[in-house]
Amino acid sequence: MQKIVFLPDKNSMIWIAITLGIAATGVNAQLTTQSSIAPHLRECYMDPLLLDRNNLPPTTLPVLIDIIQKIEDDPNVNMDLRQLIVQLLHTYKQDGIEFHQPNANVPMSNFLLPYAPTFHSFHRHRLLLTKIIPASSQTLPNNTISSALKCALHHMMSITVDGRVRGNEQNCNQLAQYRALRTARDIPRNLNKDDVEILDLDTMKLAKTMGQMRHFNPKDDVEYTNTGGSQSERQVLGESQCPLLGGVVFTRWGAVAAGHLLAGIAGGAQFQRIQVSDLIRGSTSNYQVPQSTISSLYASTISGDLAEAVLIQGTERGTNSITVGVAGNWNSTQAPRYYMLHNRVNVEVTDPELRGDIDGFVLGTLLNTNVADASSVRLSQLLDMYYSPRNGVFDQNRRACNRRQLRQETITRDVLVSETSAFVAALDTNMPLRGTIVSGLEQLVSTAAENFQSYTTNSLNDLSCVNTETTTNDYRLKTNLYLVVDATWPYQAIYPAISYLLDNVEVGKYGSSVTLLNAFDGSIVINKTFSLADFHTQYTLARHQAMFNGVNLESTLTNVRTLMQNELDYEKSTNYVGGNSTVLLFLLNSGNLQINVPVIEEARKINETIPDLRILFATSTNQFDSLWRMVRDMHNDIRTISLNTEGTNVEVTMSPVLSRIQMVGRRIVNSNCGSTFEGQLTSGNRQFDDYLEPGYTNYYSISPNYFFGNANRKIRISRTGGGAGSLVICQSRRFPQPRQNLTVAGVDANSVTCQNLVSGNVEISLQSACEGFWTIGSCPNFFISVQSQVPDGSSLTRICNEPACRFPYSIRYQVQIEELGCFSGAGTVRISSILVLSVIFLCVLNKV
Ligand SMILES: *[C@@H]1O[C@H](CO)[C@@H](O)[C@H](O)[C@H]1NC(C)=O
Ligand SMILES: *[C@@H]1O[C@H](CO)[C@@H](O)[C@H](O)[C@H]1NC(C)=O
Ligand SMILES: *[C@@H]1O[C@H](CO)[C@@H](O)[C@H](O)[C@H]1NC(C)=O
Ligand SMILES: *[C@@H]1O[C@H](CO)[C@@H](O)[C@H](O)[C@H]1NC(C)=O
Ligand SMILES: *[C@@H]1O[C@H](CO)[C@@H](O)[C@H](O)[C@H]1NC(C)=O
């Protein structure tokens, strides 16, 4: 099958130029179902910067959620889940786009777009978006997201297989290490089936059939005139042993085809039964139709994929049993962008598509049955709940880790077989094929359904719920993370490490922020952002290489101090009482750091005037002897990290740094202090709201700078929203993460105190909390935790409607401060004799 893919003559050039011009005026969703690349997506294939996927954010679930949140938050987009999901599919999804090798005699030019939607997945896509999830009259404004995010979203949602030889196929066989890291089940699989297939010559020869040109098919409505050279490279060179699968996002519970996932949600949110006769192109079907209608939920997910497999494997390979499932893996452990399949044949139903089908089916069912309310739950929240480690979609059974059981509960074989048979009849007339299955179709469909069931039960062994809970934390961070990066790091080494940290501190709308500074002088390279997608779009190889090389700690610290003081003054002006922590992490590659007197002086000033800033060092060589004077806790705040340019071992190397960041509690401050700690300073009564997921804990840390001396200072915590379970408030002076039944070596019963918050509030007194300590520096922080306890199996309801709630079932509480004071380290040095004397005096009085 051929199409006009590039248009070398003059008239056509003008035509493309005109289309591109029109594209700039608005996004017409219908264009993604046309047989050329939708005009608004063309720049993703024409602009060299956007064409290089390494310049786009990684294809991960948090990035997908981040981009969806940006669209939801756009004031010009007023759509509920039901409307938005349709717009997303019609605007950003276009399946089956492939590269086509231009004729040698066609000159390369700016007017040539050597890509077109010709892979088999396009035909199902078109049927889906024209008949099953039709467009509405609404459109998304064309400036809702940047070009980079638009292209990223397009690639995450659009299934296609790129079989071109890349030149790094030697790595196909070295993937075991990644696979072993990914999921436990990959180990046995990789020992038998998959590796053999990759190397198996017979399979390779068979694979060539996938690459044969399809012949003219009267069922296809696409007009094509050129029968010469515009073969896709898959067709010409189809040799890669591990083709790239597009349209996939990384999740902890296996790679998921986001287009299938979203299509399933749409199929359920806009549920309808469609007449098969309305889907059949031309007058009659080649096949007997077992039922006259199909469900939009099945057609947009599992039946769609199985029908594709039945038709293609049945006609192209003459098989009598349909193969379901092709494993694969990402070619990097951090910031994943490329998903490689372990096989070249039978790629109609890959593992990520199976997961997307099941997840989309489950979520679509929840919307269709009003378990999740499409008019109040946002799409980003629905995804966030389903792909969460603990609570799920209002019920902990409805989580991605429970996918296998959800599949068994919701999809029955008989319904799947008849839905799939009906959709086969419809898809057949919408798709160019190399033959017609003249008999045995029923058997093909039933083997497809059976293999789907057995494969998803036995082979799709993603991270289980039990392992999910033991390998994730039951607390979330809200950290303003400042990274001071030494540009002498090779980008390939430092970028995966940074990406790992950002994923784990949960940079995001409800989580942490990141700011990137240059260790050369402390200047800002990337402004503070809560968006993973924006950070990755900015921190590219080119941006890294444009940074000045080298480390100057003195000017860096001077700039950091100014930056932090400005933050404190800003917080004073906004009466900020707390909620986030702040960590400054140096990532240094240069050796022989010079720690001279001015550097130590700067560090001292930061220490004294920015009490809650935790400074950490991670260096490529051991610099302990220089750096120990620079940190608060020299045994834990300095780490040596050995990073390599292959980006391997990141987790092992960086997890000690991460756990240090995780130990820094959220701040509670007296915002009156600002950066000067001078003036009329007691806080009076002030408060802030914070939120907690059921079963989670929030940790806070209060600096002695706010409770030194002997006033009647208090913290009160009260529950201000509904929700399941109870809250427990714990406090400690020794443990940054106090909680009930803490099981850490060396904990004595007195070092952690807990109280149940039954009604009203829990009051914690900070009076005399520095008793016995002569200086602020020697008085330890005060650590507090708020822990939600929810009986297992509690059902969760929507209780939180405000924009600050990450989840609809987030529990709201209030933290109130009373009479916090202001003591800078510097101040106490100056007035130390008076203060210390009065403290002693008070202590003596107390003891009498
Ligand atoms: C979006 O459309 C408007 C006209 O509706 C046009 O002026 C603008 O340039 C377009 N922006 C982009 C980014 O294409
Ligand atoms: C992954 O594969 C892509 C495409 O071939 C390549 O550009 C990238 O460098 C690879 N990444 C790693 C870490 O091997
Ligand atoms: C604290 O974090 C929240 C999100 O987690 C953010 O909205 C807020 O702006 C942050 N505040 C400060 C002062 O950084
Ligand atoms: C950071 O933000 C400021 C203003 O908020 C802006 O002037 C500056 O250009 C931004 N810097 C970068 C590197 O984006
Ligand atoms: C910062 O303060 C702590 C506590 O007083 C002290 O142990 C540390 O040495 C100080 N660090 C610097 C760089 O002054």
Side-chain angles (χ1 to χ4, degrees), residues 563-782:
L563 182 68
M564 297 298 160
Q565 287 177 339
N566 290 343
E567 291 269 334
L568 289 177
D569 289 333
Y570 175 74
E571 288 173 9
K572 177 173 184 170
S573 71
T574 57
N575 293 325
Y576 178 79
V577 186
N580 307 7
S581 55
T582 311
V583 174
L584 181 74
L585 170 62
F586 285 86
L587 293 164
L588 303 181
N589 186 42
S590 307
N592 296 319
L593 297 172
Q594 294 307 306
I595 308 295
N596 48 27
V597 173
V599 171
I600 294 182
E601 186 60 12
E602 269 307 318
R604 185 188 61 75
K605 286 186 199 158
I606 289 180
N607 211 14
E608 287 171 353
T609 58
I610 308 166
D612 285 302
L613 178 66
R614 178 61 80 148
I615 300 183
L616 308 176
F617 284 89
T619 57
S620 60
T621 53
N622 187 338
Q623 307 264 347
F624 182 84
D625 290 345
S626 321
L627 293 174
W628 65 270
R629 286 167 293 184
M630 305 286 296
V631 296
R632 282 172 210 261
D633 176 353
M634 63 180 176
H635 298 296
N636 291 305
D637 294 351
I638 303 170
R639 301 280 172 182
T640 305
I641 52 173
S642 55
L643 298 170
N644 59 49
T645 51
E646 283 74 51
T648 50
N649 290 330
V650 171
E651 195 166 345
V652 171
T653 303
M654 295 306 291
S655 67
V657 178
L658 173 66
S659 45
R660 211 52 212 155
I661 299 172
Q662 288 170 332
M663 293 302 268
V664 180
R666 301 176 182 204
R667 293 185 296 153
I668 297 177
V669 300
N670 172 3
S671 59
N672 272 353
C673 304
S675 66
T676 58
F677 287 80
E678 278 164 10
Q680 169 46 42
L681 300 175
T682 49
S683 63
N685 279 3
R686 294 186 171 186
Q687 58 277 321
F688 67 95
D689 286 332
D690 219 337
Y691 300 87
L692 192 54
E693 254 179 285
Y696 277 64
T697 304
N698 286 342
Y699 296 108
Y700 298 91
S701 170
I702 314 169
S703 272
N705 301 61
Y706 300 112
F707 60 80
F708 202 67
N710 193 32
N712 191 10
R713 315 186 194 286
K714 290 189 182 104
I715 304 285
R716 287 190 202 91
I717 293 170
S718 53
R719 190 161 178 166
T720 52
S726 58
L727 294 183
V728 178
I729 317 299
C730 299
Q731 66 191 74
S732 176
R733 301 306 296 281
R734 274 185 63 193
F735 296 98
Q737 301 193 325
R739 60 197 298 167
Q740 239 173 10
N741 310 325
L742 188 70
T743 49
V744 175
V747 177
D748 63 83
N750 300 328
S751 56
V752 175
T753 316
C754 297
Q755 303 173 63
N756 285 315
L757 176 53
V758 182
S759 63
N761 59 53
V762 160
E763 191 173 273
I764 295 170
S765 170
L766 304 180
Q767 189 162 26
S768 310
C770 285
E771 185 182 300
F773 298 102
W774 286 48
T775 60
I776 290 177
S778 58
C779 177
N781 280 20
F782 205 108

Side-chain angles (χ1 to χ4, degrees), residues 54 166 168 171 178 244 331-332 338 340 646:
N54 293 315
R166 299 185 297 279
N168 57 5
N171 295 333
Y178 294 124
L244 298 178
N331 78 341
S332 60
Y338 301 92
M340 317 199 295
E646 283 74 51

Side-chain angles (χ1 to χ4, degrees), residues 35-83:
S35 53
S36 60
I37 298 183
H40 62 278
L41 297 176
R42 285 185 190 157
E43 66 174 315
C44 305
Y45 297 87
M46 293 181 93
D47 181 335
L49 276 177
L50 298 173
L51 195 50
D52 181 353
R53 300 283 174 94
N54 293 315
N55 292 324
L56 303 181
T59 52
T60 65
L61 186 80
V63 169
L64 175 65
I65 290 178
D66 182 23
I67 299 176
I68 293 176
Q69 282 167 344
K70 282 178 194 291
I71 299 172
E72 288 170 339
D73 290 347
D74 188 308
N76 298 317
V77 178
N78 290 308
M79 300 185 191
D80 70 4
L81 183 154
R82 214 173 252 128
Q83 299 160 319

Side-chain angles (χ1 to χ4, degrees), residues 146-164:
S146 69
S147 293
L149 301 196
K150 172 178 72 180
C151 297
L153 195 50
H154 164 62
H155 292 307
M156 288 194 245
M157 290 172 66
S158 307
I159 284 287
T160 192
V161 173
D162 184 347
R164 283 182 281 169

